[in-house]
Amino acid sequence: MAKRDYYEILGLSRSATEVEIKRAYRRLAMQYHPDRNPDDPAAEQRFKEINEAYEVLRDPQKRAAYDQFGHQAFEAGAGSGHGAAGGFDFSSFADAFEDLFADFMGGRRRSASNRGADLRYNITITLEEAFAGKRAQIRVPTAVACEACGGRGSEGGAEPAPCATCRGIGRVRTQQGFFTIERTCPSCHGSGRVIRNPCRECGGSGRVQKEKVLAVNIPPGVEDGTRIRLSGEGEAGVRGGPPGDLYIFVSIAPHWSFHREGRDLYCRVPIPMTTAALGGQVEVPTIEGKRLRIQIPEGTQTGRQIRLKGKGMTELHGGARGDMLVELVVETPVNLTRRQKELLREFEKASGKGDNQHPQSEGFFAKVRELWDELRE
Ligand SMILES: [Zn+2]
Ligand SMILES: [Zn+2]
């Protein structure tokens, strides 16, 4: 569809004075304003046309260019042409418009729907790192404010003008029967601003994709599932809007030996049958990577717990350390030599009944015999 002549749109002759242009615009803008013509696409189209024409003809420089070159005067030099505004916008017109319609517009504020998105970053650390804390460097692919335009989205960082369609509010209302439906402005997508000359770097969004490198302090004592919020480190806002937040979700990888419960650490330590019977010492690993010698009492059974005070996890906010609980498991020897077997058989012969050397199994089987006897009667 060919573009209509700007003078024709405003019903003016080419020799119209500035005052005549303004008067014609005022009359037509009032007549076709969307608030007065709800749900009328034709009127909306006219309204846009009127604004576009006025935008050019009110400005002596633009008007001269238009008189000489027609619509072509504004088609070249529109940057890379992929701006969000989709060609022409009504930016400076809005100032005039605000004066004209201030009375029935009332005071309205622009909504801040241009806040950047929150981001989630998952990080998995070892239990040792959870104990000691960790300073991690993370790389987050995200949208950052465009440096070329300072996040404004307009070439050279010029201040974007209020959107004419929604008058800078970012939302438009339409009447449907009894209901008034409010929706995001289709012209400015809710930002309330339009960009005349989109920035070449970011195409008018005010943001570019970039990998951001951030240092994150994971505090000692952190728990599995902890969420660390880095305020303002999410995606940059659209066209200078406030940034979102970055949430770091910490998971702790399972440990080969330790099992954590709150600030206590549990570990199962196998001990040789002989050590369990005779007593002795074994070395156990600690969470800080050291070795600790612990005393095994004579006659230790599987399941016996030894509590090592203050050898557990760090407390998140610098409290006392938890304990480490060593659960002993008596290991039955395998792959015995003939000699060892002989010795064990000899050991077996040397142990008599009722000498209370195996109190658990003796008690158990005594109970079983009792039950069998009862059944026989
Ligand atoms: Zn830019
Ligand atoms: Zn708008």
Side-chain angles (χ1 to χ4, degrees):
M1 192 182 79
K3 259 191 152 173
R4 284 177 68 201
D5 178 75
Y6 287 153
Y7 290 94
E8 201 187 306
I9 290 166
L10 295 181
L12 295 164
S13 74
R14 295 189 95 78
S15 57
T17 63
E18 272 182 48
V19 175
E20 284 172 327
I21 291 168
K22 192 167 183 176
R23 197 181 297 143
Y25 164 73
R26 191 188 293 240
R27 184 176 53 79
L28 291 166
M30 278 285 198
Q31 190 181 335
Y32 290 102
H33 189 272
D35 276 8
R36 297 195 162 177
N37 304 275
D39 251 352
D40 184 349
E44 197 181 322
Q45 195 49 43
R46 272 306 294 277
F47 184 69
K48 282 187 183 168
E49 253 184 0
I50 292 156
N51 288 319
E52 186 179 326
Y54 180 62
E55 165 67 16
V56 170
L57 299 185
R58 73 193 283 252
D59 181 332
Q61 241 177 323
K62 284 184 187 170
R63 187 180 172 185
Y66 178 73
D67 286 345
Q68 204 174 348
F69 303 110
H71 290 301
Q72 278 184 331
F74 309 104
E75 274 155 27
S80 43
H82 55 270
F88 213 92
D89 66 61
F90 320 117
S91 35
S92 54
F93 132 82
D95 314 341
F97 189 86
E98 238 131 47
D99 300 340
L100 283 173
F101 295 98
D103 49 335
F104 75 82
M105 264 171 57
R108 283 179 208 162
R109 285 182 50 211
R110 255 190 315 136
S111 65
S113 58
N114 52 351
R115 182 180 180 270
D118 289 339
L119 295 176
R120 173 181 177 146
Y121 185 94
N122 297 328
I123 189 168
T124 303
I125 59 169
T126 63
L127 190 63
E128 283 88 349
E129 288 169 336
F131 166 77
K134 183 184 166 92
R135 194 169 164 78
Q137 226 185 37
I138 61 167
R139 309 178 85 85
V140 189
T142 180
V144 298
C146 169
E147 275 178 30
C149 62
R152 287 203 169 99
S154 45
E155 189 66 45
E159 189 66 54
C163 168
T165 309
C166 61
R167 302 179 308 269
I169 295 156
R171 305 191 65 72
V172 287
R173 288 180 184 179
T174 45
Q175 196 81 35
Q176 269 184 17
F178 297 107
F179 303 101
T180 302
I181 295 168
E182 206 182 68
R183 62 194 166 97
T184 305
C185 171
S187 301
C188 61
H189 306 291
S191 71
R193 305 260 135 184
V194 282
I195 286 170
R196 187 193 301 257
N197 247 328
C199 164
R200 275 158 227 258
E201 288 296 318
C202 60
S205 69
R207 313 189 294 179
V208 286
Q209 283 297 316
K210 205 180 155 189
E211 201 179 58
K212 200 151 74 166
V213 180
L214 288 167
V216 185
N217 262 328
I218 297 169
V222 73
E223 302 220 22
D224 189 56
T226 296
R227 207 177 64 169
I228 300 168
R229 177 164 154 260
L230 299 186
S231 174
E233 296 290 1
E235 273 192 359
V238 178
R239 289 178 196 162
D245 297 332
L246 173 66
Y247 289 94
I248 312 242
F249 283 70
V250 182
S251 346
I252 300 172
H255 194 273
W256 69 273
S257 144
F258 291 116
H259 162 75
R260 178 188 193 174
E261 254 170 53
R263 33 178 229 144
D264 292 334
L265 285 173
Y266 290 80
C267 72
R268 281 161 68 93
V269 175
I271 55 168
M273 182 188 74
T274 45
T275 311
L278 305 170
Q281 289 185 330
V282 290
E283 274 187 340
V284 293
T286 63
I287 190 67
E288 57 260 70
K290 290 188 184 140
R291 288 190 296 183
L292 203 67
R293 191 169 278 276
I294 58 169
Q295 197 68 41
I296 308 294
E298 198 180 299
T300 289
Q301 306 293 346
T302 284
R304 178 169 191 157
Q305 270 193 348
I306 295 175
R307 182 180 287 266
L308 302 172
K309 281 238 170 260
K311 295 289 174 193
M313 290 298 281
T314 32
E315 182 107 77
L316 191 53
H317 299 294
R321 265 181 79 176
D323 300 337
M324 175 170 157
L325 289 118
V326 177
E327 188 190 332
L328 299 170
V329 182
V330 178
E331 189 178 23
T332 307
V334 293
N335 303 321
L336 298 179
T337 62
R338 273 167 77 106
R339 172 88 183 113
Q340 285 172 318
K341 284 181 186 170
E342 272 171 29
L343 287 169
L344 282 178
R345 286 202 187 94
E346 228 172 282
F347 171 79
E348 199 177 23
K349 271 184 223 152
S351 349
K353 249 188 197 162
D355 47 13
N356 209 27
Q357 284 183 336
H358 294 91
Q360 283 184 48
S361 54
E362 278 164 24
F364 178 79
F365 287 110
K367 185 77 193 158
V368 170
R369 271 195 301 276
E370 257 172 52
L371 288 169
W372 284 341
D373 290 346
E374 273 171 31
L375 283 172
R376 215 177 292 147
E377 277 160 14

